[in-house]
Amino acid sequence: MAAVQVAGSQHGGPSLAAPQEPGPESGHAFPRLWAKLRALRPDDGSAACTELHLLLDQLISENYHDGGPVAPEDVSALLVIVDEQNLDFLLSYTISAIQQCSPWTHMEILQALAALVYCNGSKCQKYLPDLVGKTGLLMKLSDPAQADPEVRRAAVHCMANLCLSVPGQPCLDEPYQRICFQTFLTTLQSPKPCDMDDITFCMLLQNALKGVQSLLNGGKKKLTQAEELGALLAVLKKSMFHGLPGLNIEIPTVLYPTLLPQYDGRPPARAQQSQPCPSRPAMNKKKKAKVKPRKVQHGEEEEEEEEDSSGEMEASPVPGRADLPRGSLLWASSPGVQSLPPDGSGATGKARSSSRFTSSGWKRASSSESDYSDAEGGMQSKVRSYQARVRQGALACFLSTVKSVENKVLYGYWSAFVPDTPELGSPQSVSLMTLTLKDPSPKTRACALQVLSAILDGSKQFLSVAEDTSDHRRAFTPFSVAIACSIRELHRCLLLALAAESSSQTLTQIMKCLANLVSNAPYNRLKLSLLTKVWNQIKPYIRHKDVNVRVSSLTLLGAIVSTHAPLPEVQLLLQQPCASGLGSSNPATPHQPDWWKKAPWGPSLEETTVSSPKGSSEPCWLIRLCISIVVLPREDSGSSSEAGSAAGSTYEPSPMRLEALQVLAHLARGYFSMTQVYLLELGELICKCMEEADPSVQLHGAKLLEELGTGLIQQYKADAALAAGQRVPVLLVVTFWTMMLAGPLPRALQNSEHPTLQASACDALSSILPEAFSILPNDRQVLCITVLLGLNDSKNRLVKAATSRALGVYVLFPCLRQDVIFVADTANAILMSLQDKSLNVRAKAAWSLGNLTDTLIVNMETPDPSFQEEFSGLLLLKMLRSAIEASKDKDKVKSNAVRALGNLLHFLRPSHIEKPRFAEIIEEAIQALISTVLVEAAMKVRWNACYAMGNVFKNPALPLGTALWTSQAYHALTSVVTSCKNFKVRIKSAAALSSPGSRAQYGSVEQYTRIWTALVTALQKSEDTTDFLEFKYCASLRTQICRALIHLLSLASASDLPCIQEALELSGNMVRSYILQFLKSGAEGDDTRMTPGPQERDQMVRQALQHIGSVQALAGDTAQRAIVSYLEEILAVHTDAAGPHLPPLELTSG
């Protein structure tokens, strides 16, 4: 009578409200039965048991189907959450019932057990040995040798429910996970028994797949062994094609990682697949006569029959394709379908969304066997439906596998699931694209595309090896060519699928998959035309009637214009006439009005219409299209209501407008030379976006403004290879920013209700061109500075981080960096942000502090000393203290903190250093730099620390050479230059060692000798590295060491010469060869910005030689003559090799 007690209110819990009594017309007895059940009280008598059983039978026999007379909320009143005490009792009861009762009862008991363990695996630890131990009940009942197929299926389903875990709850222990996983794997590998009907076998496979997926989704099951992963991928590939019409393949038991296409054991195509043994009918006459619905277990609902499973109801209303079967698409040629328009009618409205692809994403509402009438396809249609669910379940499990395996491991199986170009006369290999092109169910096709998208996501590094820019004429196929062929085949198959698809939801998945492919493929290493084919075929879908398809088409176009930008192929595509490829041959698809095709200035509408024989004079049709999507009303705004559009909105749906703004941002980032034509028009669009009520539209408008500002800044950089006539004039930039600052941008900056928008507006404000900022009206300049300084006090960390960064940009502006008051205000604001609890805020503040100290150095190098005199010494002290504390922070903060320390110590004047309060802080700052150089931190931190140390050595006012910290600083640098595994750190340490400007700063002779010896050793070890990536810095490292050695020679004293002679006697040939190379070419193939020119290099050696020759040598010392001869020989060899244009040697030795 435990069930009676649970249903009632015997435990002191709240009484469950009875469903409302129906009217006389309802005609069902559920409320009466429910009231009677609630009225029962615990009683162990036989009459009470009989009454309870009769009452439960009556409740079970009620019609609970969708649309039936029983409301869902009434049924929910029956659901009771089983607590752990009752769960313990019921589990013990059901286990003992299976052990003691007759086999004919096992099916019913297993159904109850499945409901009990559903999402309760962590609470069943006590009974796991009895259930899934080596001799557990479920292990015995799920064995392939189990006589009753229904019992075997129910046992596997119990095990799958046991593995299902709720987020936040613990999973099964590892040993039981392994046992369950192996059971599911064995079930999937086993052939269909002769005595099992097709539907039961499909349900068995579904349950096993669901169990594997539950283990993977729980997060604890890791496929670390290659054999285990290979076995799972093999059964998944087998199940992916289960029941697919016209396909009979043999999959090996285990797939192994390989770079080559794997074995495809398909036998020749036959009209009908032969069965190894006769299957028993799916349902005998006796069962059919009962018309009793199949009992549905908890978590295993039967799905309604619909067109996406039957394969018979799929229509293909694309003009010209009605007679082309889906199965033939795999071997069709791509060019023949490229120009076909998208479908605008047919089954698109009936297809269900497949975006939610979870563990239950391939299950739908229940349906009784009587629903499958002969008119709807009968039993054959029902079998096809269940087979489609197996394929969907396998794909769902495959998706979970992809997410739980590292990419570098997964790409070893690339050729097993991604198509490759078939050899002449060979069939196309079976892959995910086979399902996309041949499966009759749109839902299965969408699932296959979703898995392929997950595989392609993050594959940029793997695909980057592809290359086919030249014709392949070798006896073997390189791996790079094989990957390039796979990329080409993916393009071909996806474009075929795009032309053939009639379901809007699947169309969306195809476009998302194409967008992932485009984002990761190395088009700069591939032959042209791949992107052109995608571009031309996607353009008609911009006018598709389904808003999701239109959004996805814009996403794909955005991926094209953002990949490896700027690409010459895409540049040409953007310059196509606006009407090219946008003509609609299907009257159901036109959506966009033609008046978006007008040019920004000049030509009239009539001159740019589709009827124009020369096309459009529009500089970039895509920019015009995106502008029209954002700002122009819909043509059909009064007659349609689409997802994402507000009630009564006259504009395109919000997702469409946001995607259009993102495409404009991509174009501004990658193809600014085309975007700049529309600068003022885009400014008006941004103002309109930021005036709207939707924060998302405002945010995307601010992002677009930031991209435009960044593009303008890039044009005016010193290294930009642009003629003055190709840049946007500064006055036009001033007009643009005046429009922005007079519009809604200041309001967005002060909109504290939307901090994300505030942060984006700060980022946009920091992208003002410095040359334009200085010409802006004074009140606009004051507005920018005042807003940023005010927002630095924001409580929101996003806003504070963006503000700190913006101030770090402004402090570098030429018109502001000499303003002592502004620099001081900015310094105080940055120092306050350095104390913030947020790491992101501190990192941005440290970067800005580094920029501010760069400004101090620039001002120090100007002839006017007024800035140094007026800048507060107390503020310098605060900056030093804050930078020292920041140098102990995380690496993100530390890398810029040490940069600031170096600049601050370089900026100090003698008047500062003489003050006692500065002495201690200087010592502490240098010790912080020394420890950072030596510590095993991120290489960028150590690189900056070495750079900072070089800045410190440039300050002649510091007691370098006499202070106690001198030897520690040089020891740190010499240690790094000889042993650091990162060559960029070595380069900066060598540069720092060549920074002191006088011999006294190098300290004693012993100190000088250690530095010289370390540099010679570093030169000798300049190619010793185990990291291949470091080899490209070898030449730069040798160049910097040679410069340091020559610099030391140019400062050497008479006492230093013996040690130099000794080192040259040991390694003179090696040093000579590298100095000759330095004189000849500097650092070929490396960064030449810091490398002196040929004449400067030659002059450096001549000055060193002249200095050595002028040194008053010690009595009896032969070192001077030896060194002079050594350098003269180097210069003579170099002069002979370089030709007569070099000046002759004119040296006098002392």
Side-chain angles (χ1 to χ4, degrees), residues 93-142:
Y93 177 81
T94 51
I95 291 172
S96 62
I98 293 176
Q99 293 170 337
Q100 299 174 20
C101 296
S102 301
W104 66 269
T105 65
H106 288 177
M107 181 64 187
E108 302 289 340
I109 299 172
L110 286 172
Q111 288 179 357
L113 181 61
L116 287 172
V117 300
Y118 184 79
C119 291
N120 284 325
S122 60
K123 302 176 184 177
C124 303
Q125 299 291 338
K126 177 180 176 182
Y127 299 97
L128 288 179
D130 295 331
L131 292 173
V132 290
K134 291 186 177 180
T135 59
L137 293 174
L138 296 181
M139 299 299 297
K140 293 179 181 178
L141 296 177
S142 63

Side-chain angles (χ1 to χ4, degrees), residues 397-416:
C397 189
F398 192 8
L399 184 64
S400 297
T401 305
V402 170
K403 293 179 178 179
S404 63
V405 176
E406 291 185 28
N407 283 352
K408 63 181 181 181
V409 176
L410 183 66
Y411 294 143
Y413 303 90
W414 174 274
S415 58

Side-chain angles (χ1 to χ4, degrees), residues 160-222:
N161 281 4
L162 191 65
C163 296
L164 186 63
S165 61
V166 177
Q169 290 187 359
C171 307
L172 292 181
D173 293 338
E174 177 62 26
Y176 296 114
Q177 284 193 34
R178 285 200 304 270
I179 292 173
C180 293
F181 180 81
Q182 192 57 48
T183 302
F184 298 141
L185 206 59
T186 303
T187 302
L188 293 169
Q189 291 171 335
S190 303
K192 184 171 82 68
C194 300
D195 59 343
M196 184 179 291
D197 64 75
D198 290 331
I199 292 179
T200 302
F201 184 58
C202 287
M203 295 178 70
L204 175 67
L205 295 179
Q206 275 186 278
N207 291 328
L209 290 167
K210 186 174 67 173
V212 174
Q213 188 181 6
S214 297
L215 288 174
L216 294 174
N217 289 346
K220 294 294 181 68
K221 180 62 183 176
K222 300 297 181 184

Side-chain angles (χ1 to χ4, degrees), residues 207 675 862 1000 1019:
N207 291 328
T675 312
T862 59
L1019 191 61

Side-chain angles (χ1 to χ4, degrees), residues 352-365:
R352 295 189 178 185
S353 173
S354 58
S355 59
R356 295 182 180 178
F357 194 8
T358 59
S359 60
S360 61
W362 35 283
K363 299 185 297 182
R364 284 158 289 168

